[in-house]
Amino acid sequence: MLKENMLTSSGVMMNRELDMAGTATRIDSVTETKAGSKGKSKKNRPEFIDKHTAWEIVQLARNPYRPFTLDYINLIMTDFVELHGDRGFRDDGAIVGGFANFNGEPVVVLGHQRGKTTEEKLRRNFGMSYPEGYRKALRLMKLAEKFQKPVFTFIDTPGAFPGLEAEGRGSAEAIANNLKEMSRLKTPIISVIIGEGGSGGALAIGVADRILMLENAIYSVISPEGCAAILWNDESKAAEAAKRLKISAGNLLNMGIVDEIVPEPEGGAHIDYERTAANLKRAFINNLTELKELSPYLLVEQRYEKFRRIGEYLEE
Amino acid sequence: MAWFKNLQNTLKLNTEKKKGIPDGVWLKCKSCSEIIYRKELLKNSQVCPHCSYHFPLSADEWVDIMFDEGTFKEWDKHLQAADPLKFVDSEKYKDRLKRAQTKTGRADGVVTGSGQLNGHSVVIAIFDFGFMGGSLGSVSGEKILRAVEMAIEKRFPLIIISASGGARMQEGMFSLMQMAKTSAAIAKLGEHRLPYISILSNPTTGGVTASFASLGDINIAEPKALIALTGPRVIEKTIRETVPEGAQCAESLLKNGFIDKIVDRREMKKTISKLLEFFQE
């Protein structure tokens, strides 16, 4: 803890600079969207350089003292009313969600929730959802669509729970169905990766109009450990895998996978909850203001186009 | 692009080698160990006449089984992976790709196109498990998306035959995003009220199961196919849970309510054709 406290003092000093960097990143991404440019032109944007090595970022993203979904909800929204259950099987504690008031308007908010205490970690299954969690999330998003409220999703999970019960109740189907339904949801969706974005379990609540990412979050098709185990047959190569998989916010912004990086205080989000939340709130407001100008039809068409052009291939 | 010309030559040279069944007049069934006459197996849609074990099929073999002779036209044949991460593990991704191309005679792992199935015009996408485990990357994602958009344009039904280990790790987040891209395309197809039949063959796992393969208006599986998000080996390794034999096979999925039907490959074309009649506008 001493180390963290020491970092705080320097973190405050650094923060203004970080905020400015964050704003600049955002403007770049917005300009690109408005120009309607194809994937290639993102190369014109100045490269975003990560401040830490890939493995350091993995550690920061998984830091147990980092703010979690409910922390952000409490810091940037008011009047949160949590809603439970998938109306089919049970309430999955690994995903939380409900109604809240954001910047003076009612919104639907949901996200993966890790636990802080041992008891809570177990109750929330370390943020690894069963299919019921994804179905609860979709139920809430459908409510948002029905009553024309914007949706905010917080991504923070090692992945979908890899157990036989979860498989038997249809993890794959639940994720697939969320991808399909989110792609056509007629209301603005803004997602943010706040910690670990673990593969399909993360994407299941991440098909959004804007995908934001905290500076020290990661988003990956497979965990660095899993990748190392499969490709090198050696889990100790995880740091190497983390680097090569290009899972940091900087890499993903440069690749055009995420739209904007939300700056964290020096040393990481856990050093100063309020400041991180304030940065995120500003990004939410800016993006939501832009999205609200679009008709539901245009919104869905632009979302389709956004995902349609992701991919790098050669054509002869 | 000289290397590509070389590849094209290799592709031509290897078209004879692309069949999944090993050479030789006789072969042994992997499941029941009976000796089978090769020609007999080919006539039987590569299903063992003794135990009904379904031998794995290459994309071209599926084309032969599903389409009326000479009607299939392939699209986007030369789309190739770009290696956006310049990925290297124990081997360069580029080298893995070249090896898979030489082995299969294909530029990547998914074949798309259209043809006639008992006289019905359909659009199809078929995974070739022999190409890097049928993994889903930018090329397969783009080909599927284009196939779906073509189905919408022509107002043809869509069939996807999956056989895949999931997302292609070597393309990092680009490959994960193909799940969203393809699922968005399927959603759009549905809004145009065009039918989509998903055929899940052995094995269909990971990101493919967690996207378009589970999204058919009709989901059909081949007998005993392994269908999962997380396969038995990974479950056992990560959470040390023992997976009983057959817990993630097509029969279990049918029982759990995630697929409509299990269809023997010898009946596949007939079954699909019957379903297409129902969907006819």
Side-chain angles (χ1 to χ4, degrees):
Chain A
M1 288 310 276
L2 182 65
K3 198 173 165 195
E4 284 170 12
N5 286 336
M6 282 166 63
L7 280 169
T8 314
S9 56
S10 62
V12 175
M13 282 167 61
M14 286 300 292
N15 208 65
R16 186 158 297 161
E17 206 181 308
L18 280 165
D19 285 357
M20 286 174 67
T23 311
T25 318
R26 196 192 74 81
I27 289 168
D28 280 346
S29 73
V30 171
T31 317
E32 192 207 20
T33 314
K34 284 202 172 142
S37 54
K38 294 270 172 192
K40 304 291 170 202
S41 72
K42 65 186 171 257
K43 304 257 154 64
N44 298 335
R45 184 164 57 202
E47 292 262 307
F48 185 96
I49 314 280
D50 292 312
K51 295 189 184 71
H52 302 279
T53 67
W55 193 238
E56 282 165 1
I57 294 174
V58 172
Q59 305 312 317
L60 281 167
R62 291 173 177 169
N63 187 312
Y65 300 106
R66 231 176 135 74
F68 295 156
T69 296
L70 286 172
D71 297 312
Y72 287 112
I73 293 176
N74 289 327
L75 283 164
I76 64 180
M77 295 177 184
T78 56
D79 308 306
F80 177 55
V81 181
E82 188 176 355
L83 302 170
H84 295 272
D86 70 338
R87 300 274 171 88
F89 188 73
R90 64 161 193 148
D91 184 44
D92 189 333
I95 289 185
V96 295
F99 295 156
N101 196 296
F102 174 71
N103 199 32
E105 69 172 302
V107 302
V108 165
V109 59
L110 58 100
H112 302 103
Q113 181 68 26
R114 299 170 184 242
K116 301 238 164 175
T117 61
T118 307
E119 180 277 324
E120 199 199 355
K121 280 178 187 162
L122 290 171
R123 181 158 53 86
R124 303 209 176 275
N125 201 28
F126 304 88
M128 292 184 284
S129 176
Y130 279 70
E132 301 86 70
Y134 304 120
R135 291 183 183 127
K136 168 164 81 175
L138 182 60
R139 183 174 78 84
L140 297 177
M141 290 189 271
K142 285 286 187 185
L143 268 180
E145 180 182 54
K146 184 173 175 184
F147 298 102
Q148 288 301 292
K149 311 294 178 210
V151 178
F152 292 95
T153 77
F154 291 83
I155 295 170
D156 191 14
T157 179
F161 184 64
L164 208 49
E165 253 190 72
E167 287 283 318
R169 294 204 292 273
S171 285
E173 186 275 343
I175 294 172
N177 196 41
N178 278 22
L179 304 183
K180 180 179 134 201
E181 293 295 329
M182 284 184 87
S183 79
R184 305 309 280 179
L185 203 79
K186 291 180 189 64
T187 196
I189 310 173
I190 298 172
S191 293
V192 58
I193 302 111
I194 55 172
E196 191 169 9
S199 199
L203 186 62
I205 58 167
V207 182
D209 300 299
R210 295 290 158 79
I211 306 172
L212 320 182
M213 191 161 173
L214 286 193
E215 190 181 344
N216 296 309
I218 55 169
Y219 197 2
S220 183
V221 64
I222 183 168
S223 72
E225 290 82 0
C227 176
I230 294 173
L231 292 181
W232 284 278
N233 218 350
D234 179 2
E235 272 195 44
S236 68
K237 291 254 181 15
E240 190 62 32
K243 188 174 136 204
R244 297 197 183 173
L245 281 168
K246 297 200 166 58
I247 60 182
S248 68
N251 278 317
L252 295 173
L253 183 77
N254 296 337
M255 284 153 66
I257 302 283
V258 303
D259 301 302
E260 179 177 337
I261 299 177
V262 179
E264 292 181 24
E266 178 87 349
H270 58 290
I271 302 295
D272 189 339
Y273 278 32
E274 280 78 15
R275 210 170 267 275
T276 313
N279 291 345
L280 183 57
K281 183 175 182 178
R282 198 158 44 239
F284 275 179
I285 292 173
N286 292 337
N287 282 289
L288 184 60
T289 309
E290 287 166 12
L291 293 173
K292 276 165 71 179
E293 284 175 19
L294 303 170
S295 68
Y297 172 80
L298 261 181
L299 191 70
V300 169
E301 280 316 295
Q302 284 195 10
R303 193 183 306 143
Y304 182 79
E305 271 308 309
K306 172 185 172 65
F307 285 92
R308 187 182 188 272
R309 58 175 194 239
I310 297 181
E312 299 276 324
Y313 49 86
L314 307 169
E315 189 160 22
E316 294 294 314
Chain B
M1 282 275 135
W3 67 272
F4 181 73
K5 291 234 167 66
N6 290 339
L7 172 72
Q8 279 181 316
N9 291 334
T10 341
L11 292 182
K12 267 181 217 142
L13 285 174
N14 282 289
T15 41
E16 291 310 305
K17 265 167 66 180
K18 71 196 171 192
K19 306 285 178 188
I21 292 252
D23 294 335
V25 181
W26 300 93
L27 54 105
K28 199 169 162 184
C29 173
K30 275 183 210 158
S31 176
C32 68
S33 302
E34 287 282 339
I35 305 292
I36 319 163
Y37 187 42
R38 190 166 181 266
K39 266 194 186 152
E40 192 187 353
L41 185 67
L42 287 175
K43 250 198 294 185
N44 208 32
S45 301
Q46 299 203 32
V47 175
C48 172
H50 306 286
C51 72
S52 293
Y53 170 74
H54 285 49
F55 281 75
L57 294 185
S58 71
D60 298 283
E61 288 164 335
W62 269 115
V63 166
D64 291 345
I65 286 177
M66 298 295 279
F67 287 100
D68 308 342
E69 213 182 328
T71 63
F72 180 71
K73 277 201 186 69
E74 190 177 344
W75 302 329
D76 301 313
K77 202 171 176 167
H78 296 299
L79 239 55
Q80 298 210 53
D83 191 14
L85 306 190
K86 304 202 168 30
F87 197 84
V88 183
D89 47 87
S90 54
E91 192 182 350
K92 279 186 188 161
Y93 175 36
K94 279 225 152 94
D95 293 340
R96 279 185 199 272
L97 281 168
K98 270 187 204 151
R99 201 147 38 86
Q101 286 165 340
T102 315
K103 182 176 131 197
T104 59
R106 290 264 163 212
D108 210 296
V110 170
V111 172
T112 57
S114 80
Q116 305 271 312
L117 190 156
N118 284 350
H120 301 282
S121 298
V122 297
V123 167
I124 202 162
I126 310 169
F127 277 75
D128 204 321
F129 193 77
F131 196 105
M132 292 186 71
S135 52
L136 176 68
S138 296
V139 172
S140 10
E142 178 69 17
K143 282 174 91 166
I144 289 172
L145 177 117
R146 289 187 191 182
V148 175
E149 290 184 346
M150 195 59 101
I152 293 172
E153 200 186 305
K154 292 179 179 282
R155 292 206 65 81
F156 287 174
L158 172 76
I159 299 169
I160 299 181
I161 304 176
S162 300
S164 172
R168 188 176 290 174
M169 252 180 286
Q170 290 85 351
E171 289 185 23
M173 279 299 291
F174 284 112
S175 65
L176 188 76
M177 287 299 174
Q178 302 309 308
M179 293 168 62
K181 176 170 169 169
T182 51
S183 300
I186 296 296
K188 200 168 197 178
L189 183 82
E191 283 189 357
H192 284 84
R193 299 190 189 286
L194 289 162
Y196 162 39
I197 299 173
S198 172
I199 299 175
L200 300 97
S201 74
N202 185 44
T204 299
T205 60
V208 167
T209 317
S211 60
F212 55 85
S214 291
L215 294 174
D217 293 307
I218 311 281
N219 292 336
I220 290 176
E222 286 208 304
K224 297 202 175 129
L226 168 70
I227 301 164
L229 173 61
T230 314
R233 259 180 309 166
V234 180
I235 292 181
E236 277 164 15
K237 213 171 165 181
T238 49
I239 65 162
R240 319 239 174 262
E241 187 179 357
T242 328
V243 181
E245 181 83 29
Q248 295 179 296
C249 68
E251 289 70 14
S252 300
L253 267 92
L254 183 74
K255 210 174 80 192
N256 290 337
F258 294 105
I259 51 176
D260 292 274
K261 261 182 127 33
I262 294 175
V263 176
D264 187 294
R265 193 184 288 155
R266 291 163 288 193
E267 299 295 316
M268 193 62 88
K269 185 173 179 177
K270 207 169 81 191
T271 308
I272 302 287
S273 165
K274 233 166 141 178
L275 290 168
L276 290 174
E277 273 160 38
F278 171 80
F279 283 121
Q280 238 161 16
E281 288 175 325

